[in-house]
Amino acid sequence: QTGPVIDMPVPASFNDITQDPSLENYIGWVWYEKEVLLPPRWLQEDLNTRVVLRFDSAHYYSIVWVNGVQVMEHEGGHLPFEADISSIIQGSPGIPCRITVALNNTLTPHTLPPGSIQYMNDKTRYPKNYFVQNTRFDFFNYAGIHRPVVLYTTPSVYIDDITVTTTSSESVAMVQYQVSVVGSTLYSLSLSLRDQEGKVVATGDGPAGELKVLNPNLWWPYLMHENPGYRYSLEVKMQAQVNGALLEDVYTLPVGIRTVHVTSTQFLINGRPFYFHGVNKHEDADIRGKGLDWPLVVKDFNLLRWLGANSFRTSHYPYAEEIMDLCDAYGIVVIDECPGVGIKMAESFGNKSLQHHLVVMEELIRRDKNRPSVVMWSVANEPASELPPAAYYFKTVIAHTKALDPSRPVTFVTDANYALDRGAPYVDVICVNSYFSWYHDEGHLEVIPLQLTTQFENWYKTYQKPIIQSEYGADSVPGLHSDPPLMFSEEYQKAMLREYHSIFDKKRKEYVIGELIWNFADFMTNQGTTRVLGNKKGIFTRQRQPKSAAFVLRERYWKIANESSCLPPIIKSNTLFL
């Protein structure tokens, strides 16, 4: 017996698609099912072809069947998972392939993000078996199949993984590669690296080695170079003889040549100081929720570049690969954050949670390790890092992350007291969130300069590490005006930003290496007395229209870019995007 059966688009969150309030806030199992006709050649009993079913993400826990046979389970939203389904579908031509997915969005103390189910047992106030899902994060827990689902084929011997790291000097770059082939130990590999004109600049062979590139075009961030986001193409070709047949698998990986280095006061990209002037985002929009939406993605990148933003953090979970591809192509620098948000309860720091957190970091790094735009991993946002178990927890997660990828710095984003934070000793960069004159000293903009200066000086004195202001901001309801500025008016949001900026300008001469506004756009949250149809801290509305603060930030970001840039004057003007 099933519940009602309705049409549901993919990719999309299911919450906002219907007029049914019970689906809007639904917690538990939902089922998706689709039948597809596969090309006849995929269905022949061909031992040399693999057919793979891949989900780019589904939130939160997934079990997948093909023609009634279970093929995979996956825990966690925001990251891909796949299964070889050849043995199930081959040998049955003409029969539709039925794909069934059971999806559960329940969050527990051991999921990432964590949550808890609370049963309301007072029968005078609540119906029988009434429960709520509690979370400790400030965004709506959208659920569904959020990203594309694809079927693809490879030969039975195939390229499973490629890892690329780069080093460079003025005149020469080295591209180190490792290629993993699955299905046979007898194969040959040839590699060719091409520039953007298609010219081969280096070749190699074998599963591991180094390619030498003379006079390389480096991957530079947006506004740091007149040709940002330069990428080469690494073509990897595998050939293997299996049962008398020649199998060939070819994969082309974009490669950006760039280095990242952190000192006690600076963040260096290609040896030059980089200052993060950017945003925090969400995957969030009307109707589709967290579903991938290409027009929205491209609109957001046009707004980022209009703003003069050179960076963002994937708050508070990994974003779609399509978004990451554009970061690589446009030179938008990324702090890549896992879904470790709302880790507040002591039981979320135990071994069960830790084991899952380590697996999530493995999945994230496997997906994004080759991206030049990703310059730092973030393992959590605003955890209860003053709790005693947080020391071992973050020491372990950060060490594991660095073992998987020694080429990038690692951080987590804190709102704890600098003297009590047990995770901060293990990070490479201090990322601090603070909302002076908003969540405390409400309405008192005059306290910001003293409190923000004290914050920076305490953190730097304690740790001698560079600092990013990873969140700051104020809610503003578009069209609400007040002079003198009052909370929730567009004027108050602008005034708060200017108070913060005055201190940033002093401290970025010392050890502050970045500022990321909270938030790029308004987004949906759980209902509450401080949330009017969601969080209104965006500098753009949820429909991507600018509030007054967007123009304040635009003027500032272009000014900073012009000060630090070596670009010719024509590119420094604000008429870059016509």
Side-chain angles (χ1 to χ4, degrees), residues 109-110 343-350 353 384 387 389:
H110 308 299
I343 307 176
K344 301 289 192 185
M345 298 176 284
E347 59 189 312
S348 296
F349 286 94
S353 298
L387 294 178

Side-chain angles (χ1 to χ4, degrees), residues 365 396-408 410:
I365 290 169
T396 307
V397 173
I398 290 171
H400 186 67
T401 303
K402 291 191 166 193
L404 292 165
D405 176 21
S407 73
R408 289 178 179 86
V410 182

Side-chain angles (χ1 to χ4, degrees), residues 176-179 189 191 205-210:
Q176 295 86 18
Y177 66 85
Q178 271 185 300
V179 182
L189 278 168
L191 298 89
D205 54 58
E210 194 164 56

Side-chain angles (χ1 to χ4, degrees), residues 72-273:
M72 55 183 154
E73 286 188 51
H74 183 259
E75 181 181 353
H78 319 291
L79 288 165
F81 52 101
E82 64 181 29
D84 180 344
I85 63 167
S86 320
S87 61
I88 297 164
I89 61 158
Q90 285 174 349
S92 38
I95 298 172
C97 169
R98 189 174 77 253
I99 300 166
T100 312
V101 184
L103 202 58
N104 194 321
N105 61 344
T106 307
L107 300 178
T108 74
H110 308 299
T111 56
L112 212 62
S116 59
I117 296 293
Q118 181 180 2
Y119 280 90
M120 301 302 198
N121 296 322
D122 183 345
K123 294 192 174 89
T124 66
R125 300 176 64 198
Y126 301 100
K128 192 179 175 188
N129 296 327
Y130 190 87
F131 69 90
V132 291
Q133 167 83 76
N134 291 323
T135 57
R136 302 286 295 275
F137 52 80
D138 185 31
F139 56 92
F140 192 76
N141 187 37
Y142 279 113
I145 300 176
H146 284 154
R147 295 178 193 155
V149 183
V150 296
L151 284 154
Y152 70 93
T153 63
T154 74
S156 58
V157 184
Y158 60 97
I159 299 164
D160 180 55
D161 197 16
I162 305 169
T163 307
V164 167
T165 53
T166 62
T167 54
S168 66
S169 64
E170 284 294 307
S171 57
V172 64
M174 304 305 284
V175 177
Q176 295 86 18
Y177 66 85
Q178 271 185 300
V179 182
S180 142
V181 171
V182 171
S184 173
T185 53
L186 299 171
Y187 58 85
S188 66
L189 278 168
S190 60
L191 298 89
S192 54
L193 189 71
R194 287 185 165 82
D195 65 16
Q196 285 187 353
E197 282 68 57
K199 180 179 160 221
V200 175
V201 296
T203 58
D205 54 58
E210 194 164 56
L211 306 176
K212 188 176 186 179
V213 184
L214 298 175
N215 302 314
N217 288 303
L218 301 184
W219 187 94
W220 286 101
Y222 174 54
L223 299 176
M224 212 169 165
H225 191 271
E226 58 193 338
N227 187 11
Y230 190 98
R231 293 176 301 163
Y232 293 83
S233 292
L234 179 64
E235 183 186 89
V236 182
K237 184 181 285 189
M238 185 281 313
Q239 289 186 322
Q241 285 281 350
V242 177
N243 301 327
L246 176 66
L247 303 185
E248 188 172 270
D249 193 19
V250 180
Y251 194 92
T252 303
L253 180 76
V255 172
I257 297 174
R258 67 109 185 87
T259 58
V260 171
H261 185 62
V262 177
T263 73
S264 63
T265 58
Q266 289 184 313
F267 195 99
L268 305 172
I269 296 182
N270 299 332
R272 280 185 48 201

Side-chain angles (χ1 to χ4, degrees), residues 275-280 313 382 413 432-436 438-439 448 452 455-456 468-475 493-502 504 514-520 537-539 549 552-553 556-557 560:
Y275 186 78
F276 294 80
H277 45 92
V279 303
N280 295 276
R313 170 168 66 121
E382 295 186 355
V413 174
V432 187
N433 294 351
S434 56
Y435 290 90
F436 304 125
W438 190 260
Y439 289 121
I448 293 174
L452 187 57
Q455 167 199 284
F456 285 142
I468 295 174
Q469 181 76 39
S470 38
E471 288 183 28
Y472 71 104
D475 287 78
Q493 189 180 33
K494 283 198 298 185
M496 177 193 269
L497 264 56
R498 288 188 167 123
E499 294 291 349
Y500 267 82
H501 296 163
S502 68
F504 294 163
E515 55 191 75
L516 304 175
I517 187 72
W518 189 268
N519 191 284
F520 172 76
K537 289 191 182 67
I539 55 167
V552 171
L553 216 56
R556 172 172 179 77
Y557 283 0
I560 293 172

